Amino acid sequence: MKVFTRVAGLVILGALVLIGPVSVPAATPPAGSIGPTPGSSTTWTGGPYVVPTPLPDACPPASDPANLRCDHFMLTVNVPTSYWATHTGGADIQISWTSSDDDFDLYVYDNTGNLVGQSASGGSTVERFLLQNANSDQSPYEVRVVPFLTAAASYNGSATFVSQAGSAPNPPRSTGGLAFAPPATIVDSQRTEGEPVNWIDPLTGAYWESGPWGVSTQQSFIHRSTDGGNQFNIVSPVGVRPQAGPGGGDTDVVTDDQGNAYFVDLESLLELGCAVSNDNGNSWRSNFGCVHTTADDRQWFTIDNGTTSAASDNTVFLGYREELGTHIYSTPGSLGSSDPIGGFVYSNAADTETPLSANPRCGQLRFDPVRRNLYYPCSASDHVELTIGHVNPGQRTGITFHNVQLPISPGGGAVDDLFPVVATDAAGNVYAAWVDTNDNNVYYTASTNGGETWKAPLQVSGADAYSNVMPWVQGGSSGRLAVVWYGSPSNIDSDFMPSWYNNRQASTAFKWYGYASLITNATSTTPTFAQTRFTDQPMNYGQICTGGIGCTVSNGDRTMADFFAVFLDRTDGAMRIVYNDTTSQHHGAHVFETRQVAGPSATGGTVNRSVPTNPVTDPTGDAQSPHYAPTGAGASLPPYDFTNLKLSQPNTQTLRVEMTLNGNPALAAPPPGKTNGLWLTRFQALSVGDQGEEAYRIFYVGAEKPAIGSTTFFAGSGTSAEGPVPGNGCMVTTSENCKVVQYPAEQTATGTIAGNTIRIDVPVQGGFGPNRPILGGKLLNVTALSAGRDGAPYEFYADVDATKSLDYLLSGGGQPPPPPPANGCKVTGGGTIATGAGTEGKFSLNAHVSLQGKVQYRDGAAANFRSTRLTEVTCPTNTHSATINGEGMSNGQPVTFTVKVVDNGESGTSDVFTITLSDGYSRSGTLTSGNVQVH
């Protein structure tokens, strides 16, 4: 179930004159009640409406008793305020209508007239939100439905009482000294991918990461780091996965004790494609149907490295689910590039062809080398079902499996909010963890006898982690368990939160963070929990839809897919986490890696690591192009090989970036296969998104040099896609689905090259483009990167080198200089102009200098326009006029627009409205009805 909400935002006041008497039926029925029974509901209808009303302030009930301008439905919620001390939920309020050409907005007021919620997104046929903790003390609520721009349209309304019994207050949690690096490493500065998974090679320490790019792309990615996770590079010379599609469904990557790498990808929800590399990812051999079933889904690897150091007793196990249930297959470990079987051909590992479990959602397969057991966890309604099979040394097939039912989840709900997960520690103890869908808490249980019996489950999540999803676990030394998950201080179920795709501003009221817990004495009845956030700032806003691929039907937010992962560092047991951060203006699944830097270790002892600070140094010799190819890595390119990155401020208004290379960039030739050389420093900072919402925008400064010609210096931030209108900052494959981040040269910057150092100065405010303020005092995850590109609007760059990440405090740690002051300009109104013989253009607008608001206009078949982004709103002093620029859609095609209005008095009879679209449509005239106000 998906619920949208919006906190009370900017309200623009202004009286509007009534445009003639129109017979409009009021809400039918005019009132209703819900509660206290969960699921109780009431419905009503309203309309038709013809006259546009841009703001709810134009039609309070006292001045609109006949519902001529807006509709007014009175809603009573039959529970006292005290009810919500032991429950979570509220009133799920929704309106819907037939055509997206029409636009209704939804506002809710309590019985004192205070605005308590709104949803006014536009471009859809539904507005919906959850009014949290709705109660009888504030009832009756007025549900005000505002016809922003409609053509004799009616609507249907509903309100449903949503309630879940709450649990006891979260237990307090001490950090126990547990801490993570403030700067996180960007795994890929361009590609986005949900559900990243990581693996550290036990032989070499090479750090692998993989994730799907999505079925819409038929591709997935593998990244690899050879310097401990400071720099990751794409494992492919062509910028996508090593082998051709189809693919992009689910992935996993592991290595054995010989250094051989194994990769699996879901081929369009049908087959599993398996690949093996014997040369650290330079070349791969693939089998595009490595199991004997079809309609396969969510596959996982685990490795049995045998009882010797030889390759001959290694086994790769592959667990997956097909339509009827789960299976576990196996292949011998690869013996080398001429081996036609190992890692390439898989066989059923079980002693039966019958599915091992019929349950629908199963977590990662794990192998315990101590007891030599395979463990495969699946959700079984209110508990976890664990498939267990004992593996004799060298055994790959004929394994007998049995299922054990774990204890019922204490939260009173189902085991879900994505996968149940298992892990084993160095003593062979087994742990299972999951999220309970009733109280949204993370729980774990432990077994000391190979998973046959289990202790009573205990709650892991505590402190301010109230709503939680996507747990992942790793076992350390005896009795130690590392658990990570995404959590929110809100106690609302993630599926009830507003989707960013439906309401960007509303989603930012619900912030998510990454959490980590180290449990010691985990097999006892009195374990100790050390818990902390592994992200300092939010990593997601709003809904995390956990309904799988079905989320796309409801425009739910499944950007991060279904999980993220933690692995233990082989040197000190530090937690190494790969996760998604979607808080940029693009809301893409940007992949980051963070590491534990202090506190108790999962493998015993204490973690004590340094954190990169400004300036940061970088080793030489790691700027190959390409980094991976069948013929081996290319040569390191000194002019692209960083040695140092430094940020400073010659004054409080200016940011200076200095990138020092191992060669002179002024003399650089482009990397192989590209026309231009590129040097960038990128970071994120608290700012505003492209619809005025809170966002940790991506900012960047850069230098670019063609093969022949001089170096140019630039800065920018990039715009996001809005609906079907693409932005210049990220390539999309479906509407607003950011896939490949771009770094266009949007603003000219002041730069020089002195020796091997590129120096670029840019104003802190305004230097990255208009209406992109830096609101926080910290620049986050600052990274320099070098690459090659061709200058196409959307392309994969040739990645060359990258520095470690650092955080930078502006002006010594204080707030940055404020953005240029706004003049407070706001424009509201609605009405009609004559556009020809017997035709008219109808408009409605609500625009603010902060770029919040929208414009809609309709002139029969000639123009059916709605804005998707406001880029500029200006009101020249003492002119009573305004200009609104932006982007939008007209008759289904993207356009840019300019709207100019003149406010010639309160009556509106001499006001002027002008609209110009980039498709050639342009009309202007004095209003024949309605009113415009320039404030």
Side-chain angles (χ1 to χ4, degrees):
M1 187 175 189
K2 176 167 60 73
V3 179
F4 312 108
T5 183
R6 179 177 290 184
V7 295
L10 176 69
V11 178
I12 305 173
L13 301 177
L16 298 175
V17 298
L18 192 63
I19 308 174
V22 180
S23 177
V24 180
T28 305
S33 63
I34 58 176
T37 303
S40 58
S41 64
T42 185
T43 60
W44 71 97
T45 60
Y49 282 91
V50 177
V51 177
T53 302
L55 289 171
D57 307 88
C59 53
S63 64
D64 187 32
N67 291 23
L68 296 177
R69 299 300 310 276
C70 304
D71 217 353
H72 310 274
F73 178 81
M74 308 308 292
L75 175 66
T76 298
V77 181
N78 295 315
V79 295
T81 303
S82 59
Y83 175 87
W84 299 113
T86 56
H87 295 77
T88 60
D92 172 12
I93 304 172
Q94 173 178 300
I95 59 172
S96 62
W97 55 97
T98 302
S99 173
S100 59
D101 291 340
D102 297 310
D103 188 6
F104 287 95
D105 293 334
L106 178 61
Y107 301 84
V108 178
Y109 299 81
D110 65 16
N111 57 15
T112 66
N114 291 321
L115 180 67
V116 293
Q118 66 184 60
S119 182
S121 54
S124 67
T125 59
V126 64
E127 298 287 357
R128 186 177 186 181
F129 64 87
L130 178 70
L131 178 60
Q132 296 183 56
N133 302 342
N135 59 79
S136 57
D137 301 320
Q138 293 181 311
S139 294
Y141 294 93
E142 180 210 345
V143 180
R144 191 176 301 178
V145 180
V146 178
F148 186 80
L149 188 67
T150 60
S154 300
Y155 75 92
N156 296 309
S158 68
T160 303
F161 186 67
V162 177
S163 174
Q164 292 179 325
S167 61
N170 259 1
R173 291 286 189 246
S174 167
T175 66
L178 199 64
F180 287 80
T185 299
I186 177 74
V187 172
D188 194 315
S189 60
Q190 281 201 283
R191 299 160 186 80
T192 66
E193 58 182 46
E195 55 190 46
V197 65
N198 57 351
W199 178 273
I200 298 178
D201 190 307
L203 181 68
T204 66
Y207 194 152
W208 297 76
E209 182 278 335
S210 180
W213 206 28
V215 175
S216 65
T217 69
Q218 296 293 301
Q219 290 291 341
S220 295
F221 300 125
I222 307 171
H223 296 91
R224 186 171 182 261
S225 170
T226 59
D227 62 359
N230 294 323
Q231 172 184 327
F232 288 85
N233 294 100
I234 188 75
V235 182
S236 169
V238 293
V240 291
R241 73 178 193 163
Q243 65 267 43
D250 297 306
T251 74
D252 204 356
V253 63
V254 296
T255 62
D256 63 20
D257 60 5
Q258 309 299 307
N260 299 311
Y262 306 89
F263 173 68
V264 61
D265 197 1
L266 178 60
E267 312 279 359
S268 298
L269 300 175
L270 293 175
E271 301 274 4
L272 299 183
C274 301
V276 59
S277 175
N278 306 106
D279 56 6
N280 301 316
N282 282 302
S283 60
W284 297 79
R285 293 175 295 126
S286 303
N287 180 351
F288 291 98
C290 60
V291 298
H292 302 155
T293 59
T294 58
D296 304 321
D297 195 12
R298 192 52 271 175
Q299 72 284 359
W300 309 99
F301 274 144
T302 193
I303 287 282
D304 172 12
N305 279 316
T307 57
T308 74
S309 60
S312 57
D313 61 353
N314 289 350
T315 304
V316 183
F317 289 101
L318 173 63
Y320 69 97
R321 191 182 188 282
E322 51 88 27
E323 185 177 358
L324 299 178
T326 61
H327 298 270
I328 298 176
Y329 274 52
S330 68
T331 185
S334 178
L335 300 178
S337 59
S338 60
D339 181 358
I341 303 297
F344 193 74
V345 177
Y346 287 73
S347 302
N348 184 11
D351 60 0
T352 177
E353 294 293 332
T354 303
L356 304 177
S357 172
N359 288 297
R361 188 167 279 185
C362 302
Q364 191 179 50
L365 179 70
R366 295 289 177 91
F367 175 74
D368 172 27
V370 178
R371 297 181 182 272
R372 298 199 55 81
N373 283 345
L374 285 166
Y375 299 106
Y376 197 5
C378 297
S379 301
S381 186
D382 60 359
H383 66 281
V384 175
E385 179 178 82
L386 187 63
T387 298
I388 305 174
H390 181 72
V391 182
N392 294 318
Q395 185 180 15
R396 299 186 178 106
T397 60
I399 300 170
T400 299
F401 292 94
H402 66 284
N403 293 328
V404 174
Q405 310 304 315
L406 274 60
I408 292 174
S409 181
V415 171
D416 206 336
D417 287 342
L418 279 316
F419 300 110
V421 286
V422 294
T424 62
D425 66 22
N429 300 308
V430 195
Y431 307 93
W434 64 90
V435 171
D436 188 291
T437 59
N438 184 55
D439 64 8
N440 300 309
N441 283 318
V442 181
Y443 291 92
Y444 94 101
T445 182
S447 170
T448 59
N449 62 357
E452 299 303 325
T453 60
W454 296 79
K455 74 167 194 169
L458 294 174
Q459 183 175 331
V460 178
S461 51
D464 63 345
Y466 286 101
S467 187
N468 306 285
V469 298
M470 300 186 190
W472 202 262
V473 291
Q474 292 289 353
S477 59
S478 179
R480 292 190 173 221
L481 179 68
V483 187
V484 297
W485 68 94
Y486 296 145
S488 173
S490 171
N491 59 8
I492 298 298
D493 184 285
S494 65
D495 286 332
F496 284 72
M497 296 177 183
S499 167
W500 184 91
Y501 294 106
N502 293 310
N503 197 325
R504 297 187 185 187
Q505 293 185 32
S507 71
T508 62
F510 298 86
K511 295 174 172 59
W512 290 83
Y513 300 85
Y515 288 84
S517 177
L518 180 64
I519 309 173
T520 53
N521 298 317
T523 59
S524 73
T525 57
T526 56
T528 299
F529 299 88
Q531 177 180 311
T532 192
R533 291 178 179 177
F534 65 77
T535 61
D536 286 349
Q537 63 278 345
M539 38 64 59
N540 184 69
Y541 293 122
Q543 183 188 74
I544 300 176
C545 185
T546 58
I549 199 170
C551 295
T552 57
V553 176
S554 59
N555 214 27
D557 192 343
R558 194 174 173 248
T559 303
M560 300 187 296
D562 296 339
F563 64 89
F564 69 107
V566 61
F567 208 87
L568 301 183
D569 195 283
R570 64 176 189 149
T571 61
D572 58 1
M575 296 186 219
R576 306 297 298 266
I577 302 169
V578 289
Y579 68 98
N580 287 132
D581 185 322
T582 69
T583 60
S584 79
Q585 67 271 35
H586 306 298
H587 196 68
H590 310 292
V591 183
F592 285 86
E593 196 271 352
T594 190
R595 64 204 66 183
Q596 182 186 351
V597 294
S601 166
T603 56
T606 302
V607 175
N608 185 8
R609 295 178 171 226
S610 62
V611 175
T613 57
N614 181 56
V616 68
T617 59
D618 193 71
T620 58
D622 60 347
Q624 292 84 9
S625 182
H627 282 270
Y628 298 91
T631 56
S636 185
L637 307 178
Y640 296 89
D641 193 354
F642 291 109
T643 62
N644 191 276
L645 169 65
K646 179 182 178 181
L647 275 65
S648 61
Q649 288 181 266
N651 54 65
T652 58
Q653 288 76 37
T654 304
L655 175 67
R656 172 170 291 169
V657 175
E658 294 174 284
M659 298 176 278
T660 303
L661 289 307
N662 194 34
N664 189 342
L667 304 178
K674 295 296 182 179
T675 61
N676 292 3
L678 180 68
W679 299 264
L680 282 172
T681 292
R682 58 154 278 167
F683 59 87
Q684 288 180 256
L686 180 62
S687 183
V688 295
D690 294 323
Q691 292 183 1
E693 74 279 7
E694 177 181 299
Y696 284 84
R697 288 192 77 99
I698 296 172
F699 296 91
Y700 51 89
V701 299
E704 187 166 9
K705 183 184 180 301
I708 300 176
S710 59
T711 303
T712 57
F713 305 93
F714 62 91
S717 180
T719 56
S720 64
E722 296 193 55
V725 180
N728 69 350
C730 195
M731 184 190 80
V732 299
T733 53
T734 56
S735 179
E736 298 186 345
N737 187 6
C738 171
K739 290 296 187 181
V740 186
V741 177
Q742 306 294 311
Y743 299 88
E746 295 184 308
Q747 303 288 312
T748 300
T750 301
T752 61
I753 297 178
N756 292 352
T757 298
I758 300 171
R759 174 185 288 179
I760 304 174
D761 288 351
V762 60
V764 174
Q765 302 294 359
F768 300 94
N771 305 301
R772 296 166 176 175
I774 294 177
L775 300 177
K778 183 184 289 187
L779 310 184
L780 303 166
N781 308 322
V782 184
T783 308
L785 57 99
S786 59
R789 70 180 181 186
D790 296 325
Y794 305 109
E795 62 174 311
F796 286 125
Y797 302 165
D799 66 329
V800 183
D801 196 14
T803 67
K804 289 182 266 189
S805 295
L806 61 95
D807 286 355
Y808 179 74
L809 297 177
L810 286 169
S811 303
Q815 290 295 311
N823 62 9
C825 170
K826 51 189 175 183
V827 189
T828 62
T832 58
I833 59 172
T835 59
T839 63
E840 65 177 11
K842 181 191 294 186
F843 71 91
S844 187
L845 56 89
N846 170 11
H848 191 268
V849 71
S850 67
L851 306 185
Q852 294 179 325
K854 57 186 176 180
V855 177
Q856 215 159 331
Y857 175 85
R858 185 179 301 157
D859 179 10
N864 185 0
F865 168 79
R866 66 175 180 85
S867 64
T868 57
R869 175 190 287 122
L870 306 186
T871 59
E872 185 179 34
V873 178
T874 58
C875 303
T877 305
N878 299 323
T879 64
H880 302 289
S881 65
T883 300
I884 307 168
N885 292 310
E887 301 169 358
M889 299 289 292
S890 185
N891 294 331
Q893 298 300 314
V895 293
T896 58
F897 76 94
T898 297
V899 165
K900 297 182 178 181
V901 297
V902 180
D903 177 5
N904 287 320
E906 186 59 34
S907 67
T909 55
S910 58
D911 292 350
V912 179
F913 175 87
T914 302
I915 184 170
T916 303
L917 304 180
S918 60
D919 63 3
Y921 179 91
S922 182
R923 296 291 188 276
S924 180
T926 302
L927 268 59
T928 55
S929 66
N931 186 25
V932 170
Q933 289 192 326
V934 178
H935 309 270

